[in-house]
Amino acid sequence: MTDSSPARATAPATSTAPSHSASSAADEAPGGGNGLLWVLVAVAVLFAVLRPRAPMDYLRLVDWQTVGALAGLLAITQGVEKSGMLQATAQRLLGRMTDLRSLAMLLTAGAAVLSALVTNDVSLFLLVPLTRVLATQADLPLARLVVLQALSVNAGSALTPIGNPQNLYLWHRSGESFVGFMGMMAPTVAIMLFWLFVAVWVLVPRTAITLRPATEAPAVKPRLLTLAGVLFVAFVVALERHWLVAGLALVFGAFVVFYPRVLKGVDWALLAIIALMFVDLRQLAELPAVASLLQHAPIAEGWRAYLAAIVASQFISNVPAAILLDGPVRDLPALAAGVSVGGFGCVLGSLANLIALRLARLPHGLREFHKISIPFLIVCALSALWLRMG
């Protein structure tokens, strides 16, 4: 007879059986494969053959502000990881949590709240590395936890004008006050968060957290942690003032001088993926067939505008979709709701999805993501549509 209440357990040190739920991805090569990178390269080559343009034009397609911001944040995140603070925090967190579902609820709720305050990308840079470290100390379903966090930041960031780039763009276009925009988004966000926590309840069992055999934790390096913290604040200020080059020079210069090994862990392939996404997706949006479709499609208002935003997000990501549809769509609340829900489903729906999977270093992350995210998109899209039509 098994006790149904959660209890702390420790994995036997002699056990060598592989665990399906516990992720060994933390020990994999960074990024867990670059299949998406090569697909984007192939699409870029195809466009170059069919619709050639000057080399400098390709560079203009890239949003260097976004790529540069990610580069700086990736370097700072590596500094935090190398400082040992994540390992120490993970040990304390596992000492307080008793069951897997409670831990998943905490991480998911934390991601949602943080994303509304400090943007979806920044919240992932804070929480996904911590979750990956947790999976090295306990038997955890890392892929599932990270996918739920990706869904969580997409949902939570939709509440505030500063939660994500598409909200910031649409907020300025709407003329609404900060609180007024939140009021407009609140019903859709409530539906997304409701189904998010239902998903956590269904997908994560209330079982005891099984600790892995204890290993000697790396010593915390206070100087490196302090440097990373100072650089984070300085870099955010630089981004707000549009001093991207100066901010990047400060971050990378400081690490080159004081801790050069930190930069070896930066996921440069992720930066290449993001840059190629801009190149490929913006060329796709420029195709005459796409422009003609948008001009003649009946998507100006109501449920058609909402569904058009969701569908467009699946192919070109929700930020470009918001910009592309801002002209033909006159129903801004429907557009805002659609691009928010459109962040679910395909991994391309939101930049945050790619960031989460790359930070977690999941070898089969895309498969796990779509197994959860596509059904989640369908449920949220229909629920929010029913709300809007009701």
Side-chain angles (χ1 to χ4, degrees), residues 3-354:
D3 185 1
S4 60
S5 61
R8 177 72 54 170
T10 304
T14 57
S15 174
T16 59
S19 169
H20 176 72
S21 61
S23 175
S24 60
D27 301 321
E28 299 286 342
N34 292 314
L36 179 59
L37 174 62
W38 297 118
V39 170
L40 293 170
V41 169
V43 172
V45 171
L46 182 62
F47 270 119
V49 173
L50 299 179
R51 296 173 60 87
R53 57 205 303 164
M56 291 303 297
D57 286 345
Y58 290 105
L59 294 179
R60 295 188 187 98
L61 291 171
V62 179
D63 185 339
W64 293 109
Q65 186 75 19
T66 298
V67 175
L70 289 176
L73 290 171
L74 281 170
I76 293 168
T77 302
Q78 278 297 307
V80 175
E81 286 197 51
K82 298 293 185 184
S83 73
M85 178 52 66
L86 290 179
Q87 291 84 344
T89 302
Q91 286 183 345
R92 288 196 294 269
L93 187 57
L94 290 173
R96 294 175 178 270
M97 306 303 296
T98 59
D99 68 274
L100 186 55
R101 183 180 292 159
S102 297
L103 177 63
M105 287 286 186
L106 177 64
L107 293 173
T108 304
V113 172
L114 276 175
S115 65
L117 300 175
V118 296
T119 77
N120 51 1
D121 298 343
V122 172
S123 61
L124 289 174
F125 278 106
L126 295 173
L127 288 178
V128 173
L130 172 62
T131 306
R132 185 163 51 81
V133 172
L134 284 167
T136 66
Q137 300 183 9
D139 190 9
L140 303 178
L142 176 60
R144 186 159 297 182
L145 292 177
V146 170
V147 171
L148 289 170
Q149 285 177 35
L151 300 181
S152 179
V153 300
N154 283 324
S157 67
L159 180 62
T160 65
I162 61 172
N164 54 53
Q166 67 268 22
N167 271 17
L168 188 60
Y169 173 79
L170 294 174
W171 175 45
H172 288 309
R173 295 283 289 141
S174 70
E176 291 276 359
S177 66
F178 193 98
V179 175
F181 189 91
M182 290 179 63
M184 181 183 77
M185 297 301 300
T188 302
V189 173
I191 286 177
M192 293 190 292
L193 291 178
F194 169 78
W195 286 117
L196 174 67
F197 288 107
V198 169
V200 175
W201 187 271
V202 171
L203 295 174
V204 183
R206 188 174 178 268
T207 56
I209 295 176
T210 302
L211 299 178
R212 293 171 182 255
T215 58
E216 185 176 352
V220 177
K221 301 175 181 176
R223 292 183 179 178
L224 177 54
L225 180 63
T226 301
L227 176 63
V230 171
L231 289 176
F232 175 77
V233 174
F235 191 61
V236 169
V237 171
L239 292 179
E240 289 180 347
R241 295 179 177 272
H242 303 288
W243 297 340
L244 175 62
V245 175
L248 287 173
L250 175 64
V251 170
F252 283 88
F255 283 129
V256 166
V257 172
F258 298 107
Y259 297 97
R261 294 189 60 183
V262 166
L263 299 181
K264 293 182 179 180
V266 173
D267 188 358
W268 301 107
L270 173 59
L271 299 176
I273 287 173
I274 302 307
L276 282 169
M277 276 184 61
F278 284 114
V279 172
D280 292 350
L281 298 181
R282 285 181 169 174
Q283 290 185 94
L284 177 65
E286 292 174 356
L287 291 176
V290 174
S292 176
L293 177 64
L294 292 175
Q295 184 178 357
H296 297 98
I299 58 172
E301 296 178 345
W303 64 269
R304 291 183 178 87
Y306 167 75
L307 292 180
I310 293 177
V311 173
S313 297
Q314 301 307 296
F315 292 96
I316 62 172
S317 191
N318 51 10
V319 178
I323 298 171
L324 180 67
L325 296 176
D326 183 39
V329 172
R330 295 192 296 270
D331 188 343
L332 190 137
L335 176 58
V339 294
S340 294
V341 176
F344 309 128
C346 176
V347 70
L348 294 179
S350 172
L351 186 61
N353 300 334
L354 289 170

Side-chain angles (χ1 to χ4, degrees), residues 187-188 191 302-308 310 334 337-338 341 377-390:
T188 302
I191 286 177
W303 64 269
R304 291 183 178 87
Y306 167 75
L307 292 180
I310 293 177
V341 176
L377 168 66
I378 295 171
V379 172
C380 284
L382 292 177
S383 299
L385 178 61
W386 174 80
L387 175 68
R388 293 189 59 81
M389 295 183 67

